[in-house]
Amino acid sequence: METIEQIRQKAILNHIPIIMDETLQEVGKILQELNPKTILEIGTAVGYSAIRFSKYLSEDGYIDTIERDSERVKEAKQNIANLNLENKIHIFEGDALEILPKLNGPYDVVFIDAAKGKYPIFLNEALRMLRNNGIILADNVLYKGYVMSDYNKHKQRTAVRGLREFLKNLQENKNLSTEILETGDGLAISRKIN
Ligand code: SAH
Ligand code: MG
């Protein structure tokens, strides 16, 4: 029987990029206030963030979460079962680019936390399924400072390009009110206003 703290420790040991404590704190404040019924997460990893978020769900609320790495899906399912959260957290295994078009929502919250180069595509899918007054949260949007600096290694180029386009799309979208925090690795918070 693993506790949530053991899940966290193990993920850190295995270099799985789980949500940072300070980011979780910010997201927690927002979720607490919103008390969402439905959350969509893109990027489950081992289920750590979904498990943390689940305590803010309304009575019959649930989280749909997508992960393409089958080993991580296996571990996430185990973690979720150990904590008796199977009725609240549903894992969809596969590439989010293929799974998202099959989902309909609507969702009160979308948490984007997967391939950085794909954030603009994830945003379009999130907008399609987001409820009015819903919130899109996106982690790692400043990517260790690379997004706001003009020198980037080849390895990071696709990610940085995707994140810059994503932030531009957020800011230019008249239906969204967006705030970008430097918390953790950068957290974008966008509320759908009409
Ligand atoms: N939200 C988790 C951490 C997610 S790490 C937490 O905070 O606990 C990002 C995860 O996204 C990785 O496990 C990676 O395998 C997955 N991922 C990246 N691109 C993806 C894609 N296109 N479709 C589905 N999963 C993806
Ligand atoms: Mg992250």
Side-chain angles (χ1 to χ4, degrees), residues 8 18-30 48 52-53 56 111 139 142 181-187 189:
R8 177 177 167 277
I18 56 168
I19 191 167
M20 291 169 75
D21 291 343
E22 54 182 301
T23 309
L24 183 61
Q25 214 168 29
E26 286 297 333
V27 174
K29 276 192 259 174
I30 294 164
Y48 176 72
R52 287 288 191 192
F53 296 168
Y56 301 105
F111 180 57
D139 193 21
L142 299 178
L181 306 185
E182 285 183 36
T183 304
D185 198 24
L187 176 70
I189 305 167

Short mmCIF file of all heavy atoms in Angstrom, two decimals, residues 8 18-30 48 52-53 56 111 139 142 181-187 189:
data_model
loop_
_atom_site.label_atom_id
_atom_site.label_comp_id
_atom_site.label_asym_id
_atom_site.label_seq_id
_atom_site.Cartn_x
_atom_site.Cartn_y
_atom_site.Cartn_z
N ARG A 8 5.14 10.10 -4.64
CA ARG A 8 5.93 11.30 -4.99
C ARG A 8 7.43 10.99 -4.94
O ARG A 8 8.17 11.29 -5.87
CB ARG A 8 5.57 12.43 -4.03
CG ARG A 8 6.35 13.70 -4.24
CD ARG A 8 5.87 14.81 -3.29
NE ARG A 8 6.81 15.91 -3.27
CZ ARG A 8 7.91 15.94 -2.53
NH1 ARG A 8 8.20 14.93 -1.71
NH2 ARG A 8 8.72 16.96 -2.58
N ILE A 18 7.11 15.04 -12.30
CA ILE A 18 5.81 15.33 -11.67
C ILE A 18 5.71 16.82 -11.31
O ILE A 18 6.71 17.52 -11.24
CB ILE A 18 5.61 14.47 -10.40
CG1 ILE A 18 6.77 14.68 -9.42
CG2 ILE A 18 5.43 13.01 -10.76
CD1 ILE A 18 6.52 14.11 -8.04
N ILE A 19 4.51 17.25 -11.09
CA ILE A 19 4.24 18.65 -10.76
C ILE A 19 5.06 19.08 -9.54
O ILE A 19 5.18 18.34 -8.56
CB ILE A 19 2.71 18.85 -10.52
CG1 ILE A 19 2.35 20.32 -10.44
CG2 ILE A 19 2.24 18.08 -9.28
CD1 ILE A 19 0.84 20.57 -10.52
N MET A 20 5.63 20.28 -9.61
CA MET A 20 6.45 20.77 -8.49
C MET A 20 5.54 21.23 -7.35
O MET A 20 4.40 21.64 -7.57
CB MET A 20 7.34 21.92 -8.97
CG MET A 20 8.43 21.43 -9.94
SD MET A 20 9.30 22.78 -10.76
CE MET A 20 10.34 23.35 -9.40
N ASP A 21 6.07 21.19 -6.14
CA ASP A 21 5.25 21.53 -4.96
C ASP A 21 4.62 22.92 -5.05
O ASP A 21 3.45 23.10 -4.73
CB ASP A 21 6.11 21.45 -3.69
CG ASP A 21 6.50 20.01 -3.35
OD1 ASP A 21 5.86 19.08 -3.89
OD2 ASP A 21 7.44 19.83 -2.57
N GLU A 22 5.42 23.89 -5.49
CA GLU A 22 4.89 25.26 -5.53
C GLU A 22 3.82 25.41 -6.62
O GLU A 22 2.90 26.20 -6.48
CB GLU A 22 6.01 26.29 -5.69
CG GLU A 22 6.93 26.05 -6.84
CD GLU A 22 8.06 27.09 -6.91
OE1 GLU A 22 7.77 28.29 -7.03
OE2 GLU A 22 9.23 26.68 -6.87
N THR A 23 3.96 24.63 -7.69
CA THR A 23 2.94 24.66 -8.75
C THR A 23 1.66 24.01 -8.23
O THR A 23 0.55 24.53 -8.44
CB THR A 23 3.45 23.90 -10.00
OG1 THR A 23 4.74 24.40 -10.34
CG2 THR A 23 2.50 24.06 -11.17
N LEU A 24 1.83 22.92 -7.54
CA LEU A 24 0.69 22.22 -6.96
C LEU A 24 -0.08 23.14 -5.99
O LEU A 24 -1.32 23.12 -5.94
CB LEU A 24 1.17 20.96 -6.23
CG LEU A 24 0.09 20.07 -5.61
CD1 LEU A 24 -0.85 19.53 -6.68
CD2 LEU A 24 0.73 18.92 -4.85
N GLN A 25 0.67 23.93 -5.27
CA GLN A 25 0.04 24.86 -4.33
C GLN A 25 -0.84 25.88 -5.05
O GLN A 25 -1.97 26.14 -4.65
CB GLN A 25 1.14 25.59 -3.56
CG GLN A 25 0.77 25.89 -2.14
CD GLN A 25 1.98 26.34 -1.35
OE1 GLN A 25 2.92 26.93 -1.91
NE2 GLN A 25 1.98 26.10 -0.06
N GLU A 26 -0.31 26.43 -6.15
CA GLU A 26 -1.09 27.40 -6.95
C GLU A 26 -2.32 26.74 -7.55
O GLU A 26 -3.42 27.27 -7.50
CB GLU A 26 -0.23 27.97 -8.09
CG GLU A 26 0.83 28.96 -7.66
CD GLU A 26 0.24 30.22 -7.02
OE1 GLU A 26 -0.91 30.59 -7.33
OE2 GLU A 26 0.94 30.82 -6.19
N VAL A 27 -2.11 25.58 -8.16
CA VAL A 27 -3.22 24.87 -8.80
C VAL A 27 -4.26 24.49 -7.74
O VAL A 27 -5.47 24.62 -7.96
CB VAL A 27 -2.72 23.62 -9.57
CG1 VAL A 27 -3.89 22.81 -10.11
CG2 VAL A 27 -1.79 24.03 -10.72
N GLY A 28 -3.78 24.07 -6.59
CA GLY A 28 -4.67 23.68 -5.50
C GLY A 28 -5.61 24.83 -5.10
O GLY A 28 -6.80 24.62 -4.88
N LYS A 29 -5.05 26.03 -5.03
CA LYS A 29 -5.87 27.20 -4.66
C LYS A 29 -6.99 27.41 -5.67
O LYS A 29 -8.14 27.67 -5.31
CB LYS A 29 -4.99 28.47 -4.64
CG LYS A 29 -4.25 28.67 -3.33
CD LYS A 29 -3.66 30.08 -3.28
CE LYS A 29 -2.16 30.05 -3.61
NZ LYS A 29 -1.53 31.36 -3.73
N ILE A 30 -6.64 27.28 -6.95
CA ILE A 30 -7.63 27.49 -8.02
C ILE A 30 -8.70 26.39 -7.98
O ILE A 30 -9.90 26.67 -8.06
CB ILE A 30 -6.91 27.49 -9.39
CG1 ILE A 30 -6.00 28.70 -9.48
CG2 ILE A 30 -7.92 27.45 -10.54
CD1 ILE A 30 -4.97 28.62 -10.60
N TYR A 48 0.44 11.03 -10.24
CA TYR A 48 0.63 11.85 -9.05
C TYR A 48 -0.24 13.11 -9.04
O TYR A 48 -1.00 13.34 -8.08
CB TYR A 48 2.12 12.22 -8.88
CG TYR A 48 2.35 13.15 -7.71
CD1 TYR A 48 2.25 12.67 -6.40
CD2 TYR A 48 2.63 14.49 -7.90
CE1 TYR A 48 2.44 13.52 -5.32
CE2 TYR A 48 2.82 15.35 -6.83
CZ TYR A 48 2.72 14.86 -5.54
OH TYR A 48 2.90 15.70 -4.48
N ARG A 52 -3.49 14.09 -6.62
CA ARG A 52 -3.54 15.33 -5.82
C ARG A 52 -4.78 16.16 -6.16
O ARG A 52 -5.44 16.70 -5.28
CB ARG A 52 -2.29 16.19 -6.07
CG ARG A 52 -1.03 15.64 -5.44
CD ARG A 52 -1.06 15.82 -3.94
NE ARG A 52 0.24 15.53 -3.34
CZ ARG A 52 0.44 15.39 -2.05
NH1 ARG A 52 -0.56 15.50 -1.20
NH2 ARG A 52 1.64 15.13 -1.58
N PHE A 53 -5.08 16.26 -7.46
CA PHE A 53 -6.22 17.09 -7.88
C PHE A 53 -7.55 16.48 -7.44
O PHE A 53 -8.53 17.21 -7.25
CB PHE A 53 -6.26 17.25 -9.41
CG PHE A 53 -5.08 17.97 -10.03
CD1 PHE A 53 -4.89 17.96 -11.41
CD2 PHE A 53 -4.16 18.66 -9.25
CE1 PHE A 53 -3.82 18.63 -12.00
CE2 PHE A 53 -3.07 19.33 -9.83
CZ PHE A 53 -2.91 19.30 -11.21
N TYR A 56 -10.02 17.87 -4.82
CA TYR A 56 -10.75 19.12 -5.03
C TYR A 56 -12.01 18.93 -5.87
O TYR A 56 -12.72 19.89 -6.14
CB TYR A 56 -9.84 20.15 -5.71
CG TYR A 56 -8.60 20.47 -4.91
CD1 TYR A 56 -7.36 19.96 -5.29
CD2 TYR A 56 -8.67 21.27 -3.78
CE1 TYR A 56 -6.21 20.25 -4.57
CE2 TYR A 56 -7.53 21.57 -3.05
CZ TYR A 56 -6.31 21.05 -3.45
OH TYR A 56 -5.18 21.34 -2.73
N PHE A 111 -5.84 20.51 -17.71
CA PHE A 111 -4.45 20.66 -17.26
C PHE A 111 -3.55 20.10 -18.34
O PHE A 111 -3.57 18.89 -18.61
CB PHE A 111 -4.24 19.92 -15.93
CG PHE A 111 -2.84 20.02 -15.38
CD1 PHE A 111 -2.24 21.25 -15.12
CD2 PHE A 111 -2.11 18.86 -15.09
CE1 PHE A 111 -0.94 21.33 -14.60
CE2 PHE A 111 -0.82 18.93 -14.57
CZ PHE A 111 -0.24 20.17 -14.32
N ASP A 139 1.38 23.59 -17.53
CA ASP A 139 2.63 23.53 -16.76
C ASP A 139 3.84 23.65 -17.70
O ASP A 139 3.74 23.37 -18.89
CB ASP A 139 2.70 22.21 -15.99
CG ASP A 139 3.80 22.21 -14.94
OD1 ASP A 139 4.26 23.29 -14.52
OD2 ASP A 139 4.22 21.10 -14.52
N LEU A 142 7.41 28.09 -19.19
CA LEU A 142 8.62 28.90 -19.32
C LEU A 142 9.86 28.01 -19.52
O LEU A 142 10.95 28.51 -19.80
CB LEU A 142 8.81 29.82 -18.10
CG LEU A 142 7.65 30.82 -17.90
CD1 LEU A 142 7.88 31.66 -16.64
CD2 LEU A 142 7.48 31.73 -19.11
N LEU A 181 2.43 32.69 -14.55
CA LEU A 181 3.21 32.76 -13.31
C LEU A 181 4.57 32.12 -13.50
O LEU A 181 4.72 31.14 -14.23
CB LEU A 181 2.46 32.03 -12.18
CG LEU A 181 1.02 32.43 -11.88
CD1 LEU A 181 0.51 31.66 -10.65
CD2 LEU A 181 0.88 33.93 -11.66
N GLU A 182 5.58 32.65 -12.81
CA GLU A 182 6.92 32.06 -12.87
C GLU A 182 7.06 30.88 -11.91
O GLU A 182 8.09 30.21 -11.88
CB GLU A 182 7.98 33.12 -12.55
CG GLU A 182 8.18 34.09 -13.70
CD GLU A 182 9.27 35.11 -13.42
OE1 GLU A 182 10.27 34.76 -12.77
OE2 GLU A 182 9.10 36.26 -13.87
N THR A 183 6.01 30.63 -11.19
CA THR A 183 5.98 29.49 -10.26
C THR A 183 6.50 28.21 -10.91
O THR A 183 6.11 27.88 -12.02
CB THR A 183 4.50 29.26 -9.84
OG1 THR A 183 3.99 30.46 -9.30
CG2 THR A 183 4.38 28.13 -8.82
N GLY A 184 7.36 27.51 -10.19
CA GLY A 184 7.89 26.24 -10.70
C GLY A 184 8.59 26.45 -12.03
O GLY A 184 9.48 27.27 -12.17
N ASP A 185 8.12 25.73 -13.05
CA ASP A 185 8.70 25.81 -14.39
C ASP A 185 7.85 26.71 -15.29
O ASP A 185 7.96 26.65 -16.51
CB ASP A 185 8.78 24.38 -14.96
CG ASP A 185 9.73 24.28 -16.14
OD1 ASP A 185 10.66 25.11 -16.26
OD2 ASP A 185 9.55 23.38 -16.96
N GLY A 186 6.99 27.51 -14.67
CA GLY A 186 6.09 28.39 -15.43
C GLY A 186 4.71 27.78 -15.53
O GLY A 186 4.56 26.65 -16.00
N LEU A 187 3.72 28.53 -15.04
CA LEU A 187 2.34 28.04 -15.04
C LEU A 187 1.45 29.07 -15.72
O LEU A 187 1.40 30.23 -15.30
CB LEU A 187 1.87 27.80 -13.59
CG LEU A 187 0.42 27.38 -13.39
CD1 LEU A 187 0.19 25.95 -13.90
CD2 LEU A 187 0.03 27.47 -11.91
N ILE A 189 -2.33 30.28 -16.59
CA ILE A 189 -3.69 30.13 -16.06
C ILE A 189 -4.61 30.95 -16.96
O ILE A 189 -4.47 32.18 -17.03
CB ILE A 189 -3.79 30.66 -14.62
CG1 ILE A 189 -2.75 29.98 -13.72
CG2 ILE A 189 -5.20 30.49 -14.07
CD1 ILE A 189 -2.56 30.66 -12.37
#
